[in-house]
Amino acid sequence: MTVGEQAHEQSSESTRTSATLPGPFGTRQLLRLDEALRLADSATGLAFSIYVGELEEPTREYAVTLHRQLTDPDDAVLIAVSPNQRVLEVVTGAEARKRIPDRDAKLAALSMVASFGGGDLAGGLVSGIDQLASRAGRA
Amino acid sequence: MSVTNTVLFFVVIPAVIVLVVAGLAMIGGRGGADRRYRPGRQFDFSPVWYVSSGDRSTGTPAAALPAGTEPTAIESTNLGGGQPRPGATGGASDRW
């Protein structure tokens, strides 16, 4: 079971039981995110992950330390979003960077930020993953 | 048209319509907890971290990171071996 599915299960349980939710996404949004992550990973061979929560200052360095905690950071792409700080950080590992140049990461970031500014976190993330995965190409 | 009729048509009836519409709007706004993020509104969910396969993350996957926890990999002594060289990561930053 993927983390997305686990989170999804927790989410749907807590929707029934209490108002405190582990995440900001609804069931349908979680399913879409999970599928986007799965497709992106299987297509590119990279490991995409999404972090939504507070980022400590300086946000860039904190996002890089988060990225480093993944098992294979070189091939990992972390999309870290902090809605309170209105900050988006895209971190690509050493190998992933060769396939997703910083310029393309910036383009995907611009697209995501446009959605976030309109209040659409899940939609922005899905389109951002799509752009990054398309740029990375097939494994 | 008498004064009473004039008042009825041009004051009372529009006022009733306005009140009904306003009441419906307030009832609709209160229904259910709105989980959707809106820019400017406080976002007080616990941090979540999604990866597509569970064994990619070194920690417990669903837990993500508790807010305010110091990441263990930050120390410079840990940078050797399998850790990427500092500055080897790329990406982009943006704000909205």
Side-chain angles (χ1 to χ4, degrees), chain A residues 2-4 6-7 21-26 30 37-38 41 47 49-52 56 60 62 65-71 74 78 81-92 94 97 102 105-106 110 113 116-119 121, chain B residues 33 35-59 61-62 64-75 79 82-96:
Chain A
T2 67
V3 179
Q6 288 173 1
L21 294 155
F25 303 118
L30 281 169
L37 283 171
R38 198 163 43 76
D41 277 27
S49 65
I50 295 172
Y51 173 86
V52 183
E56 288 171 26
R60 181 74 203 170
Y62 188 71
T65 59
L66 289 181
H67 176 263
R68 228 175 267 156
Q69 291 180 3
L70 294 160
T71 42
D74 281 355
L78 172 68
V81 186
S82 172
N84 276 337
Q85 295 156 295
R86 295 191 180 195
V87 173
L88 166 72
E89 300 285 354
V90 179
V91 185
T92 51
R97 191 184 191 182
D102 290 356
K106 180 69 184 176
L110 284 170
V113 159
F116 298 160
L121 281 183
Chain B
R35 283 199 281 156
R36 201 186 137 193
Y37 164 71
R38 289 177 202 282
R41 187 189 289 182
Q42 189 64 21
F43 183 88
D44 39 0
F45 295 101
S46 51
V48 285
W49 195 349
Y50 304 109
V51 293
S52 65
S53 54
D55 55 355
R56 290 279 193 182
S57 170
T58 47
L65 287 186
T69 312
E70 192 70 20
T72 50
I74 232 175
E75 295 163 22
L79 286 176
Q83 300 288 345
R85 294 181 307 281
T89 56
S93 306
D94 214 335
R95 294 180 167 271
W96 70 93

Side-chain angles (χ1 to χ4, degrees), chain A residues 103-135:
Chain A
R103 191 186 53 217
D104 294 294
K106 180 69 184 176
L107 270 175
L110 284 170
S111 144
M112 283 189 264
V113 159
S115 295
F116 298 160
D120 188 7
L121 281 183
L125 287 169
V126 169
S127 74
I129 291 170
D130 172 45
Q131 281 194 41
L132 292 170
S134 305
R135 188 60 193 83

